[in-house]
């Protein structure tokens, strides 16, 4: 605080409270809607306080699913999302860390060329090459498989950069000492570099898990079989039901379930999340 | 760019790079080159034959009022999302930087929309603005405005702008806060001693010093609005009514998968690639410049 201006402090808190309200109210309204019986949500104004159907609604969507969405139980979609998010996260971390290791610690022909090929992926998000990528996955017969959901999203320039950046800060003496003691490239990587990278991997885990969980367009393209639907893209089927009103209480229960896992990760690992976010963008 | 102490090994570095490179080539570079290739071909309706048409697909696109309309919608949309989200986040960050008590609590409460998928954010706001049951639509009706994003293109566009901007608030907030905390206190204290009011200090010292962060976020937000908001549109308005919310990434999907226009979709892909490459270059130029000083 530079100078004492009480009215300014009050104003600051007021503005922040408005900000918090803007962030929290939509979630609150969603949560409230998910705890009421369907009839209450047929006409505005809808209640602002939770109802008594919390357990029933959530049990219904988790176990049986909403019939108009083809009746896929949300439990199945949650599991699919989890499998996809974790495969993407671990896949990205694994292939990026070894690629960065090769680029930083080895001298070999075409090193810069390989680096640039990886770099290019930054410029080609799925959204700009939808059809041909879909064709590749279809030709490899990976539609409606977990591999099809995750493998094409595993390549990552940002994770490779992050590890490269981190390896460059590891003191040279460490590698020198390891080599004098007779450690080969495998031993050095597993016994020294991997343990040192633990914090970076954890920070990256948070960011990548959210990225993987929140994928929308890709699962929409590669899954036609309902048993492979992920929850984030599955909601859309419940909202856009043809010729009738969406079953709002169940849709909102599904929405809450869809946002819960990544929100828990962010709030639970806040420090790592902020670190990961800042590092990835550097 | 690499270590002085290095390993030499004939095949190990290639083996280490293999998974990353294989996936990149199969799922990134090959499809992108296919898009380039298809964009200069015209396929017949049955997909049996195709002929080389040079830039005809592109010319057709830029003569198509729907595509030009989509371009216009995308620009309005991304500018609105960037300004709305960044403006609001900057205000919150400046206030959070000022308060002493409870700043951690505010931070925790403000960061978690980052974890919410754009599509889910779209559904939240879609529900709140739903003409029959939505609380916001109801409030607007009490004030005499008949909100209906199913029929009114302006309402629909505003809906996806709000949903997209809301999802991005926490990201912008975190970076603005980090930027503000990096400004030396002594500068602000000196200005305060010279009698500059908080408002004046903000516009003459804080805001200019924050400009690298602002510029970085501007690029990130534009990229987000262009490429990250497909879910918002697809889950809510489906590009409608009458194309009012058909942003470019939605159109490339719709023309390719629903309309099955291969050449046109590929040409759109190529244009989008050019836009991403342009934005990425701008971003990296800026990053390099920042590293220098």
């Amino acid at each position: 605080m530079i100078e004492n201006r009480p009215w300014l402090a009050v104003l600051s808190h007021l503005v922040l409270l408005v900000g918090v309200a803007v962030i929290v109210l939509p979630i609150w309204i969603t949560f409230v809607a998910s705890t009421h019986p369907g009839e209450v949500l047929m006409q505005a104004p809808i209640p602002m306080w939770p109802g008594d159907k919390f357990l029933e609604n959530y049990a219904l969507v988790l176990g049986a699913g909403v019939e108009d969405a083809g009746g896929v139980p949300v439990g199945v979609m949650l599991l699919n999302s989890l499998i996809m998010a974790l495969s993407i996260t671990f896949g990205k971390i694994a292939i990026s860390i070894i690629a960065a290791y090769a680029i930083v610690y080895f001298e070999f022909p075409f090193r810069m060329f390989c680096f640039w090929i990886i770099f290019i992926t930054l410029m080609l998000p799925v959204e700009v090459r939808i059809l041909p990528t879909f064709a590749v996955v279809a030709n490899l017969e990976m539609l409606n498989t977990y591999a099809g959901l995750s493998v094409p999203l595993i390549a990552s320039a940002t994770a490779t950069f992050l590890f490269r950046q981190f390896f460059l800060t590891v003191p040279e003496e460490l590698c020198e000492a390891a080599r004098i003691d007779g450690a080969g490239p495998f031993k050095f990587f597993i016994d020294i570099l991997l343990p040192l990278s633990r914090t970076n991997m954890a920070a990256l885990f948070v960011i990548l898990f959210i990225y993987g969980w929140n994928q929308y367009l890709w699962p929409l393209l590669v899954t036609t079989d309902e048993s492979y639907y992920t929850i984030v893209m599955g909601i859309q089927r419940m909202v856009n039901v043809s010729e009738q009103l969406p079953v709002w209480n169940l849709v909102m229960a599904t929405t809450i379930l869809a946002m819960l896992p990544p929100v828990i990760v962010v709030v639970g690992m806040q420090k790592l999340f902020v670190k990961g976010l800042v590092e990835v963008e550097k | 760019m690499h270590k002085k102490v290095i390993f030499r090994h004939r095949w190990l570095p290639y083996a280490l790079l293999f998974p990353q490179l294989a996936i990149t080539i199969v799922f990134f570079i090959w499809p992108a080159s296919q898009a380039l290739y298809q964009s200069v071909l015209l396929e017949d309706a049955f997909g049996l034959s195709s002929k080389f048409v040079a830039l005809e697909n592109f010319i057709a696109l830029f003569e198509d009022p729907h595509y030009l309309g989509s371009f216009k919608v995308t620009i309005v949309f991304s500018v609105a999302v960037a300004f709305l989200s960044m403006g609001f986040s900057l205000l919150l960050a400046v206030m959070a930087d000022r308060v002493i008590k409870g700043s951690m609590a505010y931070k925790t409460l403000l960061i978690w929309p980052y974890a919410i998928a754009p599509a889910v954010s779209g559904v939240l706001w879609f529900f709140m603005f739903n003409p029959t049951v939505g609380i916001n639509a109801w409030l607007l009706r009490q004030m005499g405005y008949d909100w209906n994003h199913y029929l009114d293109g302006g309402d629909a566009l505003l809906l996806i702008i709000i949903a997209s901007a809301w999802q991005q608030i926490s990201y912008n907030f975190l970076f603005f806060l980090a930027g503000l905390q990096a400004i030396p206190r002594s500068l602000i204290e000196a200005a305060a001693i010279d009698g500059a009011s908080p408002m004046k200090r903000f516009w003459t010292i804080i805001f200019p010093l924050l400009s690298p962060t602002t510029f970085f976020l501007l690029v990130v937000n534009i990229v987000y609005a262009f490429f990250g908001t497909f879910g918002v549109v697809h889950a809510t308005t489906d590009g409608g009514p009458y194309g009012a919310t058909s942003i470019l990434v939605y159109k490339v999907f719709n023309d390719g998968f629903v309309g099955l226009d291969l050449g046109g979709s590929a040409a759109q892909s190529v244009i989008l690639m050019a836009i991403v490459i342009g934005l990425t270059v701008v971003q990296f130029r800026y990053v390099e410049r920042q590293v220098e000083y």
Side-chain angles (χ1 to χ4, degrees), chain A residues 123-139:
Chain A
M123 302 185 179
L124 301 169
V126 180
E127 285 78 5
V128 309
R129 50 187 168 82
I130 295 177
L131 263 184
T133 315
F134 175 78
V136 168
V137 175
N139 286 335

Side-chain angles (χ1 to χ4, degrees), chain A residues 3 8 13 22 30 41 44 95 105 107 109 111 121 128-130 160 167 170 179 214 216 239 270 281, chain B residues 2-3 5-7 14 20 24 27 98 106 108 114-115 124 126 130 132-133 166 171 201 234 257 269:
Chain A
E3 74 256 86
L8 208 58
H13 283 284
V22 167
T30 307
L41 304 176
I95 71 167
Y105 281 96
E107 178 66 69
R111 198 170 55 96
T121 58
V128 309
R129 50 187 168 82
I130 295 177
T160 313
F167 289 162
V170 173
R179 283 183 61 173
N214 288 347
Y216 182 86
V239 180
Q270 196 175 333
E281 295 297 347
Chain B
H2 67 100
K3 299 278 184 179
V5 186
I6 46 166
F7 293 109
Y14 296 106
Q20 177 91 297
T24 306
F27 295 110
R98 288 192 59 86
Y106 287 125
T108 307
Y114 179 84
L124 293 182
F126 187 66
N130 183 286
T132 9
V133 298
W166 181 80
Y171 184 91
R201 291 204 299 268
H234 187 262
F257 274 86
S269 284

Side-chain angles (χ1 to χ4, degrees), chain A residues 85-107:
Chain A
L86 289 179
S87 321
I88 292 176
T89 311
F90 286 115
K92 267 188 193 248
I93 292 179
I95 71 167
S96 300
I97 197 166
I98 56 175
Y101 181 53
I103 284 174
V104 175
Y105 281 96
F106 287 88
E107 178 66 69

Side-chain angles (χ1 to χ4, degrees), chain B residues 155-217:
Chain B
D155 288 357
L157 186 58
L158 197 57
L159 172 73
I160 61 166
I161 289 172
I162 293 174
S164 308
W166 181 80
Q167 201 271 339
Q168 196 70 356
I169 287 174
S170 40
Y171 184 91
N172 293 335
F173 171 76
L174 276 175
F175 276 85
F176 272 133
L177 191 61
L180 286 168
Q181 284 168 349
I183 294 174
R185 291 280 129 170
S186 53
L187 280 177
I188 300 165
E189 278 159 20
I193 290 167
D194 287 347
S197 68
M199 209 50 175
K200 181 150 183 152
R201 291 204 299 268
F202 177 78
W203 287 114
T204 54
I205 298 172
I206 298 175
F207 192 69
L209 283 174
L210 208 56
S211 63
T213 308
T214 312
F215 184 67
F216 161 79
L217 284 177

Side-chain angles (χ1 to χ4, degrees), chain B residues 2-290:
Chain B
H2 67 100
K3 299 278 184 179
K4 271 184 260 137
V5 186
I6 46 166
F7 293 109
R8 280 180 200 281
H9 205 288
R10 194 169 299 157
W11 54 266
L12 188 59
Y14 296 106
L16 291 171
L17 277 164
F18 177 75
Q20 177 91 297
L21 288 179
I23 292 172
T24 306
I25 289 165
V26 173
F27 295 110
F28 285 73
I29 294 180
W30 169 252
S33 59
Q34 281 291 300
L36 268 176
Y37 175 65
Q38 279 162 1
S39 72
V40 294
L41 293 181
L42 185 67
E43 213 161 293
D44 68 35
F46 307 102
L48 296 174
S49 65
S50 53
K51 64 172 194 270
F52 179 73
V53 294
L55 296 179
E56 238 169 72
N57 285 325
F58 292 93
I59 295 168
L61 270 186
F62 282 103
E63 281 171 352
D64 178 6
H66 292 292
Y67 190 68
L68 293 177
S70 170
F71 231 109
K72 217 172 82 188
V73 167
T74 311
I75 288 169
V76 172
F77 171 70
S78 19
V79 170
V81 168
F83 275 86
L84 190 62
S85 189
M86 286 171 67
F88 193 64
S89 309
L90 178 59
L91 180 69
L92 291 178
V94 169
M95 296 306 166
D97 191 37
R98 288 192 59 86
V99 300
I100 300 161
K101 276 188 198 140
S103 67
M104 263 317 276
Y106 287 125
K107 202 172 158 188
T108 307
L109 283 168
L110 289 170
I111 61 168
W112 46 279
Y114 179 84
I116 295 171
V120 172
S121 158
V123 172
L124 293 182
W125 290 90
F126 187 66
F127 175 59
M128 288 196 292
F129 277 111
N130 183 286
T132 9
V133 298
I135 186 92
N136 289 2
W138 180 77
L139 283 174
L140 284 169
R141 211 173 311 122
Q142 304 302 308
M143 287 187 258
Y145 183 79
D146 197 14
W147 173 279
N148 193 335
H149 55 246
Y150 289 102
L151 301 172
D152 187 309
D155 288 357
L157 186 58
L158 197 57
L159 172 73
I160 61 166
I161 289 172
I162 293 174
S164 308
W166 181 80
Q167 201 271 339
Q168 196 70 356
I169 287 174
S170 40
Y171 184 91
N172 293 335
F173 171 76
L174 276 175
F175 276 85
F176 272 133
L177 191 61
L180 286 168
Q181 284 168 349
I183 294 174
R185 291 280 129 170
S186 53
L187 280 177
I188 300 165
E189 278 159 20
I193 290 167
D194 287 347
S197 68
M199 209 50 175
K200 181 150 183 152
R201 291 204 299 268
F202 177 78
W203 287 114
T204 54
I205 298 172
I206 298 175
F207 192 69
L209 283 174
L210 208 56
S211 63
T213 308
T214 312
F215 184 67
F216 161 79
L217 284 177
L218 187 65
V219 178
V220 169
N221 276 271
I222 300 269
V223 170
Y224 162 77
F226 261 77
F227 303 102
T229 51
F230 173 83
V232 179
V233 177
H234 187 262
T236 61
T237 62
D238 251 332
Y242 312 112
T245 55
S246 174
I247 58 171
L248 290 170
V249 277
Y250 182 79
K251 194 163 165 56
V252 76
F253 162 84
N254 208 39
D255 288 3
F257 274 86
V258 186
L260 296 174
D261 170 14
L262 281 182
S265 177
Q268 292 185 31
S269 284
V270 171
I271 293 171
L272 284 175
M273 272 187 241
I275 296 173
V276 196
I277 291 171
L279 286 168
T280 316
V281 169
V282 169
Q283 193 173 339
F284 271 79
R285 274 239 163 133
Y286 149 74
V287 170
E288 262 167 35
R289 224 181 330 135
Q290 195 196 31

